[in-house]
Amino acid sequence: MAVFAVAHPNIALVKYWGKRDTSLNLPAVGSVSITLDTLVTTTQLCLSQAQGEDQLVLNGASSTPAQVKKLGQLAQAFRNLSGIDKKVQVTSENNFPTAAGLASSASGYAALVKALNQAFGTELSAQELSAFARIGSGSAARSLFGGFAQMHLGERDDGKDAIATQLLAGTEWPLEVVVAIASETAKDVSSTVGMEATRTTSGFYQSFIETQNVDIEQAIEAIRARDFSSLADVSEYSCLKMHGLMLSARPGLVYWNHTTVACIHAVRSLRADGIPVFFTIDAGPQLKAVCAPGYGNQVATALKEVNGVTRVLRTGLGSGAHIVTDH
Ligand code: 2P0
């Protein structure tokens, strides 16, 4: 029988960039994120008697060897935990562009571990599942939770404490997000490759790691106090610091295009006019404008006018990964 899980992408306000271990995907820094709602990954998973590999179909196409390998690693962990020796067949669909800086891997792996937990009957908690999602993709650990989440750096070598926790439900501070799509094509350099290139070549990497906790503390305080201007300050700072770090790799990693830069200026100009909005940008050209409740319309209208923006996506804050029964 098939199980269905859904998960939403999240975007970091205090950014994760760099790993302390690549095999278990242990982050070099903690991070703080918001989980979105209208962008969705839906994953169907069946247990199968078939021999051979675990199977994955992603957006109607067959998956890459690296994706199949990670699926196999995660499925094996659930086979070991449950004692059920069956392969899995997974079909996963996104309703938004894949691998273009919209965190499709985050929602993808969060939905996958939720589905594995249901199919194998392992009854792991969201925090335990978060550690498994992290093995798939560092940011996926945060998509187990809705609203505002914190990813913990952890200290253990086995990664069991490198997990996310929820800071606040989205309903408690319903920020709005406008995503300005500046390109629909997949990025040239994956986050995983970009992070390792940065760690091994940038002279600023250590300083990025060492200054992270101050930013995390400011973001947590701002979220607890619903202090929009403090959250705006630390989020833009963390975003630009991460992109500065990426630019300082050798060769430099440039994830922006001209539209991204035009959107940054548009957001700053809105804020100068008194609109409570700030930007964040991940490993891709799309700018995400985070707005105080009630300002999404105004910000969407302004970003649509920016030269090069092909369309805008509107979203609020969503729930953590969950099983759906009425699919
Ligand atoms: C983040 N990003 O905190 C940062 C900001 C993109 C820029 O986490 O290698 O897909 O699988 O751990 O999680 C995107 O990278 O990378 C990411 P891996 P992931 O959201």
Side-chain angles (χ1 to χ4, degrees), residues 9 48 52 54 85 91 102 218 262 267 286 319:
S48 143
D54 298 297
D85 191 21
T91 311
L102 283 176
Q218 182 177 338
V267 167
Q286 338 298 358
S319 56

Side-chain angles (χ1 to χ4, degrees), residues 127-194:
Q127 290 189 11
E128 289 169 309
L129 289 177
S130 155
F132 283 110
R134 187 209 65 237
I135 294 170
S137 177
S139 53
R142 303 183 305 231
S143 275
L144 266 301
F145 298 95
F148 299 79
Q150 178 182 5
M151 179 69 196
H152 301 269
L153 169 60
E155 290 175 349
R156 294 171 58 133
D157 289 338
D158 65 8
K160 290 213 166 108
D161 56 356
I163 56 166
T165 51
Q166 190 180 50
L167 290 166
L168 195 69
T171 47
E172 296 187 70
W173 196 19
L175 299 180
E176 298 180 32
V177 179
V178 179
V179 183
I181 303 288
S183 166
E184 307 259 353
T185 52
K187 59 197 170 204
D188 298 335
V189 182
S190 75
S191 297
T192 305
V193 170

Side-chain angles (χ1 to χ4, degrees), residues 6-224:
V6 298
H8 303 284
N10 69 78
I11 49 178
L13 302 183
V14 179
K15 302 295 190 186
Y16 147 58
W17 196 253
K19 299 176 201 275
R20 63 189 160 88
D21 174 277
T22 49
S23 63
L24 283 174
N25 229 1
L26 301 178
V29 289
S31 51
V32 173
S33 61
I34 48 178
T35 300
L36 308 178
D37 65 358
T38 55
L39 284 64
V40 186
T41 296
T42 305
T43 295
Q44 175 185 349
L45 188 148
C46 302
L47 296 183
S48 143
Q49 300 286 9
Q51 300 296 310
E53 284 192 322
D54 298 297
Q55 287 174 11
L56 173 64
V57 176
L58 192 56
N59 288 323
S62 53
S63 42
T64 66
Q67 286 165 337
V68 173
K69 189 172 164 210
K70 280 206 173 157
L71 171 67
Q73 195 183 347
L74 289 169
Q76 190 56 44
F78 283 83
R79 283 191 279 269
N80 295 345
L81 281 170
S82 65
I84 299 172
D85 191 21
K86 289 191 178 163
K87 299 288 182 204
V88 299
Q89 289 176 341
V90 180
T91 311
S92 193
E93 302 276 346
N94 298 325
N95 72 345
F96 58 95
T98 299
L102 283 176
S104 53
S105 64
S107 49
Y109 283 109
L112 175 64
V113 297
K114 201 74 195 173
L116 285 166
N117 189 45
Q118 180 77 6
F120 283 98
T122 36
E123 297 184 4
L124 300 185
S125 68
Q127 290 189 11
E128 289 169 309
L129 289 177
S130 155
F132 283 110
R134 187 209 65 237
I135 294 170
S137 177
S139 53
R142 303 183 305 231
S143 275
L144 266 301
F145 298 95
F148 299 79
Q150 178 182 5
M151 179 69 196
H152 301 269
L153 169 60
E155 290 175 349
R156 294 171 58 133
D157 289 338
D158 65 8
K160 290 213 166 108
D161 56 356
I163 56 166
T165 51
Q166 190 180 50
L167 290 166
L168 195 69
T171 47
E172 296 187 70
W173 196 19
L175 299 180
E176 298 180 32
V177 179
V178 179
V179 183
I181 303 288
S183 166
E184 307 259 353
T185 52
K187 59 197 170 204
D188 298 335
V189 182
S190 75
S191 297
T192 305
V193 170
M195 285 186 204
E196 277 306 280
T198 310
R199 183 181 68 78
T200 52
T201 65
S202 170
F204 298 128
Y205 181 73
Q206 207 48 39
S207 125
F208 177 79
I209 305 294
E210 283 165 10
T211 55
Q212 184 80 344
N213 283 349
V214 180
D215 300 346
I216 290 176
E217 286 312 313
Q218 182 177 338
I220 291 173
E221 268 183 40
I223 289 164
R224 295 217 164 109

